[in-house]
Amino acid sequence: MAEADLNENLSETHHKIVKDICKQFVLSDDVYKQIKEMFLGEIKRGLCKYTHESACVKCFMTFVEKLPSGCERGKSLALDVDETRCRVLYINLQGDRDFRMYSQNYPIPPQILVGPGRDLFDFFVECIADFVYDHNLQNDELSLGFNFGFPLNQKSIKKAILMTWTRDISSAGVVGRDVVALLQDAINRRGGLRISNIVIANDTTGTLVSCAWKYREAKIGLVVSTGFNMCYLEKTKYLQLIRNNVNTSPTMIINCESGAFGNDGTLDFMRTPIDITLDKNSVHVGEQLFEKMISGMYLGEIARLTMLECIKAGGMMQGDFSEEVRTPMIFDVEDMSQIEADGPGNYAVTRKIFQKMGYSEPTNDDCENLRYICTVVSTRSANLIASCLACLIDRVGDPYIIIGVKGSIYETYPNFSTRLERKLKRLVRPEYEFDLVPAEGDSGQGAALLAASTKKGKRDK
């Protein structure tokens, strides 16, 4: 047998090994439809007063009872917080869907993220003060929209309890506390800021509000970046957690907290041994199990663990483990994105990423197999999101709906949005039409819009 034929047979053998290991991530439409129905069951459990406490998908009320019309006027600030930075914004609504906005990012020092909660909120306020004085706003009395990108149990539009930290944050003394009160206390400690009113939103609510300000058909918000969550506009008559529905608005935005879907074991039938290993090695074991299969925080690690299995089986790198490839989180979603962005037969970027993982001379087959792993892992992420979005589209029940989307994975990962939309079309009832629309600005802009347009109501306090 010629050497070329031997190499071709060896290449096919290696790819078959990789493909067989990756089969666990390839699910049928029937499975995704099953996940869709299970998610609907969780939505109903989260909305029911008798099962809310035990539900994984909590469906928290946001007390945002209507979406903006685009005609609002006013000035406000926003504080937008995630696991790496806080962003301060100033917005001046001028009506007719027109506004002026300024913003500034402030990286959060790593030591602040694992220190006392008091220090974390004092840091937030110093960022606000820096922004206010830089933009000569110290003499203005302003409302502030607080966009806090972590699981919240809202008691009103001005009170929200942090349920748990996610990702790698563990700031002490914040879980179980009202984050609005903690921010107000920090403002009072510092002094010198004329902030008279704080309203709270999480990042998905802010995304939906921002999108709805421009598109009146927007009824669902999706965030997929380092984290993952969704919200939607629910009919108030289904909100059993409201003690008295008299004089309420007919709708309210519901914060699903969908990253916790499956925490009770309902998704164990489709979770892989690699998913289980990733969870065991994570900071918050047993929590946010759905998010750990979807979000940018974890996709790279799923791909790395899959690569380890392929190396062990002899399908890649001639079965040799480098010291670097054994290092958790050395391979991230940005690496995956660059690898999938390489054109057919072009492995220049992939080879550089292999060098980071301790391999100086990967073969073309190694490069192609790593690309295949990335594609399978990222496609499962898009398809799982589609399952839940299809459930929400069916539940809202409008003939046409816009889904406002925010997040680096959706916006920049090659073909992610296409895969998501393609699977969504297969899962949504045929009588419903939809469009996925990137939310202009971000969820912080939505929080600022909310602060500028929200009037005090009966459940504000």
Side-chain angles (χ1 to χ4, degrees), residues 167-350:
R167 279 84 84 185
D168 290 333
I169 301 180
S170 57
S171 184
V174 184
V175 173
R177 303 279 300 279
D178 175 10
V179 295
V180 177
L182 292 174
L183 182 63
Q184 186 64 64
D185 289 345
I187 289 172
N188 294 342
R189 278 195 300 275
R190 189 195 184 280
L193 294 173
R194 301 184 65 189
I195 295 173
S196 59
N197 181 48
I198 302 175
V199 298
I200 184 72
N202 75 347
D203 49 359
T204 46
T205 302
T207 297
L208 176 53
V209 168
S210 181
C211 192
W213 195 71
K214 185 171 183 180
Y215 302 100
R216 63 185 58 192
E217 298 90 355
K219 300 290 177 63
I220 296 173
L222 165 68
V223 173
V224 52
S225 56
T226 52
F228 159 74
N229 195 17
M230 296 185 294
C231 69
Y232 73 104
L233 197 66
E234 179 61 275
K235 296 176 179 65
T236 310
K237 64 183 180 181
Y238 295 126
L239 305 184
Q240 296 183 17
L241 298 174
I242 297 180
R243 292 189 180 91
N244 183 359
N245 280 352
V246 178
N247 297 324
T248 61
S249 172
T251 58
M252 182 186 292
I253 296 178
I254 294 297
N255 165 27
C256 297
E257 288 302 341
S258 41
F261 183 27
N263 281 7
D264 59 355
T266 55
L267 295 179
D268 286 356
F269 76 98
M270 52 74 59
R271 292 176 69 221
T272 70
I274 287 172
D275 295 317
I276 293 168
T277 298
L278 181 145
D279 176 51
K280 288 180 178 177
N281 295 335
S282 68
V283 174
H284 304 285
V285 178
E287 299 179 16
Q288 301 296 107
L289 295 186
F290 199 59
E291 181 175 83
K292 287 173 180 172
M293 293 186 281
I294 287 174
S295 78
M297 182 78 178
Y298 304 102
L299 289 180
E301 184 65 359
I302 294 172
R304 185 190 72 87
L305 292 170
T306 305
M307 182 180 171
L308 291 181
E309 292 295 315
C310 294
I311 295 171
K312 182 179 178 181
M316 293 179 68
M317 319 315 298
Q318 298 180 328
D320 293 332
F321 292 96
S322 69
E323 182 178 346
E324 291 86 348
V325 80
R326 296 179 186 271
T327 305
M329 298 294 184
I330 192 174
F331 186 72
D332 59 27
V333 72
E334 181 61 28
D335 295 326
M336 293 176 65
S337 179
Q338 292 183 46
I339 287 169
E340 287 208 55
D342 257 353
N346 183 2
Y347 305 117
V349 174
T350 306

Side-chain angles (χ1 to χ4, degrees), residues 299 336 340 374-382 413 416 419:
L299 289 180
M336 293 176 65
E340 287 208 55
C374 294
T375 300
V376 170
V377 170
S378 62
T379 298
R380 184 186 69 157
S381 169
Y413 196 101
F416 194 93
R419 295 166 187 166

Side-chain angles (χ1 to χ4, degrees), residues 22-36:
C22 287
K23 278 182 180 177
Q24 59 193 316
F25 299 113
V26 181
L27 306 176
S28 67
D29 277 358
D30 286 341
V31 171
Y32 286 119
K33 288 175 183 177
Q34 183 180 354
I35 293 169
K36 172 186 171 182

Side-chain angles (χ1 to χ4, degrees), residues 99 203-215 218 220-223 402-407 410-411 435-446 449:
F99 65 88
D203 49 359
T204 46
T205 302
T207 297
L208 176 53
V209 168
S210 181
C211 192
W213 195 71
K214 185 171 183 180
Y215 302 100
I220 296 173
L222 165 68
V223 173
I402 284 178
I403 303 160
V405 192
K406 167 207 164 187
Y410 179 84
E411 293 163 2
D435 277 313
L436 294 151
V437 176
E440 291 190 7
D442 57 19
S443 50
Q445 176 180 306
L449 288 165

